[in-house]
Amino acid sequence: MKRLSEISSVHINEIDLNLLRLFDAVYLSRSVSRAAEQLDLTQPAASQGLTRLRGLLHDPLFVRAPGGVRPTPRADRLADPVRQALATLEAALADADAFDPARSRRTFHLHMSDIGEGRFLPPLMAALRQRAPGVRVEARPWPPEELSAALDSGRIDFAFGFLPTVKDTQRLRLLDDRYVLLLRRGHPFLARRRTGRALLAALAELDFVAVRTHADTRRILQLLQLEERLQLVTEHFLVLPSIVRATDLAALVPREIAEGFGAEVAFLEPAFPLRDFTVSLHWSRRFEGDPGHRWLRELVAELFRTR
């Protein structure tokens, strides 16, 4: 917290909390207009507040950049201490607010892929119906590069998934999984029983279907030099079983999902590079102390965490 000393005692009485919230929002979003929208301000009001803060700190804080703004070195030094201070205040205030799941009408916003929705939403909604019938959920996929900022700003409450590019969040490890090779039952490839390196080399005999939004499966094919064997790219993961059943195309899918696809498909477990991964629940440190957040985290851990 020592970097907060950069806001000198001469100025501290002139800096209100809203200016720090504005600074934090601009820093996270890299845009004055997006920060204004998040804080429910007009853009002129946000610009005026930023101008005032620049004058108090004698630093431009942000300079124009393609698509928005770029922080100055002074802003970079202040960003973490300001965020931690705001999080401490929010947690302290939230502790005074009770969360009664049986009476709450709160809406939780979640990041999930289509496969995550199929895996997590049915048991989660069943549990909410029993314990918190008024609580609502809105699930949607966010671009990976926007997730950290969306969590910090409160636009989403939690992110589920294997999200290696999401940094500086709190996380709860839910389960370990691995990618397997999905084929239709009776596929000619299954007639020859191969293992180890022989099985991995034989993948060059197959044509593949992949999902656009699941970059890791595309990356595996790239590492295996099988991109030229990619015959179909689709938008949704859960359409893969129908495609695999009707064709000789192969797909890479998580084992836990493959096990639920029924008897018309089979799967093998070649030693792919990057085949093992961990699915986690992510949230922002800013909302660590929020009672509603805490309650839902504990419910998710109870429902899904493997021990």
Side-chain angles (χ1 to χ4, degrees):
M1 298 293 288
K2 63 182 181 180
R3 291 294 186 186
L4 280 181
S5 63
E6 295 201 35
I7 301 176
S8 70
S9 59
V10 175
H11 297 140
I12 196 66
N13 292 334
E14 303 176 59
I15 298 178
D16 64 39
L17 182 62
N18 288 326
L19 292 180
L20 296 182
R21 292 179 67 237
L22 175 60
F23 169 84
D24 186 51
V26 175
Y27 188 87
L28 291 172
S29 66
R30 296 298 198 267
S31 167
V32 178
S33 59
R34 286 194 291 271
E37 182 179 351
Q38 293 167 22
L39 297 175
D40 197 24
L41 296 172
T42 64
Q43 185 161 348
S47 297
Q48 290 169 12
L50 195 55
T51 298
R52 182 182 170 197
L53 190 59
R54 284 166 166 158
L56 291 170
L57 297 181
H58 305 294
D59 189 89
L61 298 176
F62 302 97
V63 296
R64 292 186 183 276
V69 295
R70 178 167 50 89
T72 65
R74 179 88 181 273
D76 282 328
R77 294 195 301 271
L78 288 172
D80 284 343
V82 167
R83 191 173 311 146
Q84 291 169 23
L86 290 171
T88 299
L89 286 172
E90 288 166 351
L93 294 172
D95 280 343
D97 298 328
F99 178 79
D100 182 352
R103 298 185 179 213
S104 176
R105 304 289 296 176
R106 183 166 177 173
T107 297
F108 288 98
H109 299 269
L110 312 178
H111 159 81
M112 290 180 177
S113 65
D114 58 339
I115 193 171
E117 290 182 353
R119 172 183 281 170
F120 295 113
L121 285 182
L124 177 60
M125 296 311 297
L128 289 177
R129 183 177 182 182
Q130 291 183 343
R131 306 185 198 185
V135 166
R136 301 178 182 182
V137 170
E138 291 188 11
R140 57 166 288 192
W142 282 74
E145 65 275 11
E146 296 182 15
L147 274 173
S148 293
L151 288 166
D152 273 333
S153 69
R155 285 177 288 167
I156 55 175
D157 296 294
F158 297 100
F160 288 72
F162 172 54
L163 304 170
T165 62
V166 177
K167 307 295 184 183
D168 299 322
T169 63
Q170 301 292 79
R171 68 180 65 190
L172 173 69
R173 182 175 181 169
L174 297 179
L175 56 93
D176 296 320
D177 206 344
R178 67 170 38 173
Y179 289 110
V180 299
L181 181 73
L182 189 72
L183 299 162
R184 67 173 174 84
R185 185 75 63 179
H187 194 293
F189 190 84
L190 297 171
R192 294 179 60 188
R193 297 181 178 274
R194 291 166 284 201
T195 59
R197 292 184 178 179
L199 175 58
L200 205 58
L203 298 180
E205 303 170 12
L206 295 169
D207 292 314
F208 291 85
V209 52
V211 181
R212 181 174 291 105
T213 54
H214 291 258
D216 296 304
T217 57
R218 302 281 297 273
R219 176 64 175 154
I220 291 172
L221 293 177
Q222 182 183 32
L223 292 173
L224 294 172
Q225 299 183 342
L226 295 174
E227 282 188 298
E228 292 186 359
R229 308 293 300 190
L230 187 57
Q231 194 170 76
L232 171 64
V233 178
T234 184
E235 191 70 26
H236 301 292
F237 203 99
L238 295 181
V239 74
L240 291 184
S242 299
I243 293 171
V244 169
R245 291 186 194 109
T247 69
D248 280 344
L249 295 177
L252 305 186
V253 302
R255 174 174 180 151
E256 184 173 299
I257 299 300
E259 290 174 339
F261 279 161
E264 295 181 16
V265 295
F267 65 86
L268 301 173
E269 298 191 50
F272 300 128
L274 307 180
R275 70 172 179 174
D276 296 309
F277 62 94
T278 297
V279 176
S280 298
L281 178 73
H282 298 255
W283 67 94
S284 171
R285 293 183 179 90
R286 294 186 67 176
F287 304 101
E288 180 80 13
D290 179 276
H293 263 243
R294 187 184 305 119
W295 181 84
L296 193 63
R297 292 197 304 266
E298 292 171 355
L299 177 61
V300 169
E302 175 189 333
L303 293 174
F304 302 114
R305 190 177 189 183
T306 55
R307 303 184 185 280

